[in-house]
Amino acid sequence: MSVFMVERDLKGISMEDLGGAQKAAIAEAEKMRGEGSKIGYIRSTFAPDDGRCMCLFDGESATQVQELNDRAGLPYTRVVAAMDLTP
């Protein structure tokens, strides 16, 4: 599997809705794994001043990660391959 970054513009989102979006991403990843997909939610980083949100997923392709977000009803501007550099 590879890491993919989902870029989102969530300017003006409430913290409650942000938490709900994260829960939706996690739940859809679990559902897709139950259907046999190799995919997982890693984490998100949100910048409240400008509404940018970056979410990391493990997956087999950008298309698969897009499908997860589409199925969860989550907006995104793009999905790109990424490197998770957590020490």
Side-chain angles (χ1 to χ4, degrees), residues 8 18 22 25 41-46 53-57:
R8 307 182 197 283
L18 182 63
Q22 182 183 40
Y41 171 84
I42 300 173
R43 77 174 151 277
S44 296
T45 301
F46 179 64
C53 187
M54 306 297 178
C55 302
L56 295 179
F57 293 84

Side-chain angles (χ1 to χ4, degrees), residues 17-68:
D17 287 344
L18 182 63
Q22 182 183 40
K23 288 177 184 176
I26 292 167
E28 193 59 43
E30 289 176 3
K31 184 176 178 184
M32 289 177 71
R33 276 195 311 277
E35 296 168 355
S37 293
K38 294 180 181 177
I39 193 163
Y41 171 84
I42 300 173
R43 77 174 151 277
S44 296
T45 301
F46 179 64
D49 287 346
D50 67 6
R52 284 185 299 155
C53 187
M54 306 297 178
C55 302
L56 295 179
F57 293 84
D58 279 321
E60 297 178 302
S61 69
T63 302
Q64 180 192 47
V65 174
Q66 288 173 336
E67 178 186 353
L68 181 150

